[in-house]
Amino acid sequence: MFKETFYPYEKLCLDESLMLFKGHLKVKQHIPAKGSMFGIKIFIIFYWKTNYILDFIIYVGAQTGIDNHGMGVSGNTVATLPQTYLEKGHTLFVNNWYTSPDLFCWLYDRATNTCGAVRQTRKEVPAMEDKLKKGEITSRSSESGKVIVLKWHDKKEVWMLSTYHKAEMHLTSKRDRKSGDQKMRLSVVIDYNKSAGLVDQSDMLIKTVDNTWKSSKWHRKLFLHILDTAIFNAFCLYQKYGTKMKYKKFHFNVIRESFATFYINCKRAGGAKCQEYLQD
């Protein structure tokens, strides 16, 4: 699997990807926020700096291969995917579908910090009814001190949950149009925004040169999607350890080198047999 090829540094992200599929399938999902909108949902964990995909779980309804930790589908997914990286001091970023105080405490007890936006209606999230002016912060900590809930008023109220941050404001590179002063943002929001949307960026890049074609067979499209993911991961590693190259050119080079190797091997086995295989 991909995680055996590359071991990530501190910060990891967990999110869901949606592989476009328009055919009939019981487990097909509808996620309006995704570019594909309809398709097969795949939970993925990746290294935030390079978008290298470390592992994934394909959503197949009740039979989805996740461990039961008593935290619902979202919590159990987060508890299952990072198993390899628990007890090693990583920090995990998740969106508000996964975020809950119980999950964050569970991960904290396993030496893993977590950060994410949180729904204020989520169970065990304390009520903070303070009416804040723009730029003001209020926060609550759990009794154990493991988790902090922060509410910050920017253009609207922003709710965050973290085991890694404090209620601190930091300067950003953006400036106010009227005063020209540097804008201040909540530190947890700055870090979280760096991870937001990375999965969608990867999906868009893969779709520019993907291997899929129209088919009513979902397993065929899924196989080709995983193949595209493997090529994308190879591109991430090449960018990290090699020279800079556009993904389209890298994809073409992979095909060219693979074909050259395949052709040589076939030629040794016999030209007629090679030609017959290529025609099939």
Side-chain angles (χ1 to χ4, degrees), residues 74-91:
S74 60
N76 291 339
T77 301
V78 179
T80 301
L81 264 176
Q83 285 291 338
T84 307
Y85 310 105
L86 299 180
E87 307 285 352
K88 296 178 181 177
H90 288 284
T91 300

Side-chain angles (χ1 to χ4, degrees), residues 228-246:
D228 284 326
T229 301
I231 295 173
F232 175 77
N233 274 352
F235 173 72
C236 291
L237 293 180
Y238 185 83
Q239 290 284 91
K240 181 174 177 59
Y241 298 111
T243 55
K244 300 296 181 181
M245 182 185 295
K246 290 186 177 180

Side-chain angles (χ1 to χ4, degrees), residues 12-14 43-46 52-55 81-82 85 92:
L12 307 176
C13 301
L14 193 149
F43 301 110
I44 63 174
I45 183 170
F46 60 98
Y52 182 91
I53 296 169
L54 299 160
D55 204 355
L81 264 176
Y85 310 105
L92 184 66

Side-chain angles (χ1 to χ4, degrees), residues 9-243:
Y9 299 105
E10 179 195 355
K11 295 180 180 179
L12 307 176
C13 301
L14 193 149
D15 205 342
E16 65 270 359
S17 174
L18 194 68
M19 188 203 78
L20 177 64
F21 184 72
K22 296 182 179 179
H24 177 72
L25 188 64
K26 288 184 178 179
V27 297
K28 186 170 68 174
Q29 298 287 298
H30 175 219
I31 306 179
K34 299 292 183 182
S36 300
M37 292 186 69
F38 294 93
I40 299 173
K41 183 161 69 173
I42 305 172
F43 301 110
I44 63 174
I45 183 170
F46 60 98
Y47 174 50
W48 76 280
K49 196 168 185 179
T50 62
N51 288 18
Y52 182 91
I53 296 169
L54 299 160
D55 204 355
F56 61 88
I57 295 175
I58 301 166
Y59 179 75
V60 291
Q63 286 75 41
T64 303
I66 57 177
D67 302 329
N68 186 7
H69 295 279
M71 294 184 286
V73 176
S74 60
N76 291 339
T77 301
V78 179
T80 301
L81 264 176
Q83 285 291 338
T84 307
Y85 310 105
L86 299 180
E87 307 285 352
K88 296 178 181 177
H90 288 284
T91 300
L92 184 66
F93 292 86
V94 295
N95 64 38
N96 62 9
W97 189 72
Y98 305 96
T99 309
S100 73
D102 285 345
L103 172 65
F104 279 33
C105 286
W106 188 90
L107 289 166
Y108 185 86
D109 290 338
R110 287 154 182 79
T112 304
N113 283 313
T114 326
C115 166
V118 64
R119 299 171 183 175
Q120 63 188 83
T121 55
R122 179 74 77 172
K123 186 179 179 181
E124 296 189 6
V125 171
M128 293 190 286
E129 299 177 355
D130 318 52
K131 291 187 177 181
L132 305 178
K133 295 180 181 179
K134 187 173 181 179
E136 291 184 336
I137 311 168
T138 185
S139 63
R140 301 286 188 277
S141 297
S142 62
E143 293 182 4
S144 61
K146 298 175 183 178
V147 183
I148 184 171
V149 182
L150 302 110
K151 184 173 76 167
W152 172 54
H153 194 287
D154 188 24
K155 293 180 180 178
K156 59 180 181 179
E157 288 185 353
V158 178
W159 289 66
M160 302 295 297
L161 195 67
S162 180
T163 61
Y164 181 72
H165 298 84
K166 297 179 181 178
E168 298 176 337
M169 299 290 286
H170 288 171
L171 286 171
T172 67
S173 57
K174 294 183 178 181
R175 293 185 176 274
D176 187 271
R177 290 183 180 180
K178 294 182 179 179
S179 65
D181 296 332
Q182 285 182 282
K183 290 185 177 181
M184 299 283 288
R185 279 188 178 274
L186 198 61
S187 60
V188 61
V189 172
I190 294 173
D191 285 348
Y192 177 74
N193 285 345
K194 292 177 182 178
S195 69
L198 292 179
V199 170
D200 296 332
Q201 292 176 22
S202 300
D203 287 344
M204 289 175 62
L205 192 59
I206 290 173
K207 286 175 185 176
T208 57
V209 286
D210 61 16
N211 291 310
T212 56
W213 66 82
K214 291 182 179 180
S215 174
S216 60
K217 306 294 183 182
W218 67 269
H219 51 83
R220 182 181 294 171
K221 294 198 72 172
L222 184 59
F223 169 77
L224 290 173
H225 179 75
I226 294 172
L227 181 61
D228 284 326
T229 301
I231 295 173
F232 175 77
N233 274 352
F235 173 72
C236 291
L237 293 180
Y238 185 83
Q239 290 284 91
K240 181 174 177 59
Y241 298 111
T243 55

